[in-house]
Amino acid sequence: MGGLPIPRTRDRISLHNTVLKMQTTDPTKTHLPQVQEPRNDGIPLDLSWVKAVQANTSAIERRAVTLPGRRSVKKEYQSAWLCKAISLMDLTTLSGDDSEGRVRRLCAKARQPVRADLLKALGMEGLTTGAICVYHDMVKTAVDALQESGIPVAAVSTGFPAGLSPFHLRIAEIGESVSHGAEEIDIVITRRHVLQGNWQALYDEMAEMRAACGQAHVKAILATGELGSLRNVARASLVCMMAGADFIKTSTGKEPINATLPVTLTMIRAIRDYHDRTGIKVGYKPAGGISKAKDALVYLAMIKDELGDRWLQPDLFRFGASSLLGDIERQLEHHVTGGYSAGWRHAIG
């Protein structure tokens, strides 16, 4: 992953102006910056463009298979990129047994995602995750726990994960989440619109959800594992961006198949095409199934190759993750101390 200078760890990794580029007024703190890109206001639905979109599945799969072997970083460079991955993480809890205590513990982890001694050794004091992602009824708790941290709260809304509740209730849920302080809303699309090729219905649904979010940024979850083909993934990505999605996201994490490299390549190339035609940058969020530090590095390499360095910032890229952070912290401890530790030494919540 050449092209991005990274100082050596033994000189204390000072990534505030290189990898992370996230300085606040306090140079010792590394927080999520204010969104720099204009919102995606969308464009009119262009059905000729949508229907012209194809996906060469065999070529996409070949590219995805070869990437891990062609992009590798080691030692201090790897630790720097893993710190980058933490800063791009939507730390998530979406379980039926979520409690206020669990959410507050998760928020504490977001404020200090890595043990203090390791952050000090890496020169990364003040590193935080990109956001916290919770169910709607935990938004108030998360907002309270993250006061003055600069870390936004994302809420999963619109009948998550199936998205099959009555439409007026899905819209109302968005409004409730925003009123409770959510700065980002992860919505789920109606999959049958994609499977039936009803692109007008998908566009209208997405546009109304976008409007209901107001100033909150909206991430459109495509549930790619249920869309049937990469061509459907590509077309659904494009329609959601046309309708004003600020991010497109792979999965709810509840489907049998969640984020994969072929799906990611398909979606980020749709983002690239949309940017080439409109000049608008749309973000990307892979979610579900990314639990190992080495996998996160592969995703970052693909983003850098296909979209460029600008998409390696938290206003344009996020990992939807729960267990990923634990493995990254273990890898960082190995880099600092030379030894691997038990997972319980890096508990998340």
Side-chain angles (χ1 to χ4, degrees), residues 9-86:
T9 304
R10 61 176 173 267
D11 297 324
R12 294 178 62 84
I13 299 175
S14 179
L15 302 179
H16 301 292
N17 294 316
T18 52
V19 176
L20 295 178
K21 300 178 183 176
M22 295 180 190
Q23 279 191 319
T24 62
T25 54
D26 180 350
T28 69
K29 297 297 182 182
T30 306
H31 290 309
L32 183 75
Q34 296 297 316
V35 173
Q36 301 172 20
E37 291 297 325
R39 294 289 301 278
N40 174 26
D41 291 328
I43 62 174
L45 178 62
D46 185 341
L47 285 175
S48 62
W49 182 5
V50 174
K51 292 178 180 180
V53 170
Q54 301 295 328
N56 186 332
T57 299
S58 60
I60 290 169
E61 289 176 345
R62 284 197 304 272
R63 160 80 168 136
V65 166
T66 60
L67 184 66
R70 292 188 293 108
R71 293 290 183 268
S72 178
V73 288
K74 302 295 184 182
K75 298 182 179 180
E76 63 266 21
Y77 301 99
Q78 183 181 95
S79 68
W81 279 95
L82 291 178
C83 288
K84 161 63 75 176
I86 291 171

Side-chain angles (χ1 to χ4, degrees), residues 59-198:
I60 290 169
E61 289 176 345
R62 284 197 304 272
R63 160 80 168 136
V65 166
T66 60
L67 184 66
R70 292 188 293 108
R71 293 290 183 268
S72 178
V73 288
K74 302 295 184 182
K75 298 182 179 180
E76 63 266 21
Y77 301 99
Q78 183 181 95
S79 68
W81 279 95
L82 291 178
C83 288
K84 161 63 75 176
I86 291 171
S87 75
L88 300 172
M89 193 177 295
D90 280 7
L91 195 57
T92 303
T93 181
L94 297 171
S95 300
D97 59 352
D98 281 345
S99 63
E100 290 188 2
R102 173 181 288 179
V103 170
R104 289 188 180 278
R105 288 194 299 273
L106 199 72
C107 291
K109 190 68 174 177
R111 286 176 177 266
Q112 185 175 305
V114 179
R115 287 199 340 252
D117 61 311
L118 298 180
L119 288 179
K120 184 176 181 180
L122 292 166
M124 288 302 299
E125 297 97 326
L127 176 69
T128 73
T129 67
I132 280 285
C133 186
V134 295
Y135 273 119
H136 161 73
D137 65 347
M138 291 295 168
V139 170
K140 284 184 177 180
T141 299
V143 169
D144 181 66
L146 292 172
Q147 286 185 46
E148 300 181 359
S149 69
I151 303 170
V153 174
V156 292
S157 294
T158 64
F160 181 95
L164 293 176
S165 56
F167 188 68
H168 71 279
L169 295 180
R170 284 181 269 163
I171 295 297
E173 188 176 343
I174 292 173
E176 287 291 308
S177 294
V178 172
S179 69
H180 289 173
E183 297 179 53
E184 302 174 2
I185 304 294
D186 291 25
I187 64 96
V188 288
I189 67 168
T190 301
R191 285 69 138 176
R192 66 173 175 271
H193 294 332
V194 179
L195 297 172
Q196 295 171 350
N198 193 344

Side-chain angles (χ1 to χ4, degrees), residues 242-300:
M242 288 178 175
D246 296 298
F247 267 71
I248 51 174
K249 174 179 172 181
T250 58
S251 323
T252 66
K254 309 296 186 182
E255 296 90 52
I257 301 174
N258 295 290
T260 66
L261 290 176
V263 160
T264 291
L265 186 58
T266 302
M267 293 176 71
I268 63 179
R269 285 184 172 174
I271 289 172
R272 188 176 66 191
D273 291 346
Y274 186 76
H275 176 253
D276 288 344
R277 288 214 194 184
T278 67
I280 300 169
K281 295 182 176 70
V282 174
Y284 176 65
K285 179 178 175 180
I290 305 173
S291 60
K292 299 298 182 183
K294 64 181 180 180
D295 296 330
L297 294 174
V298 173
Y299 276 86
L300 293 177

Side-chain angles (χ1 to χ4, degrees), residues 210-221:
R210 162 67 157 82
C213 288
Q215 296 302 309
H217 281 229
V218 58
K219 306 190 196 91
I221 306 173

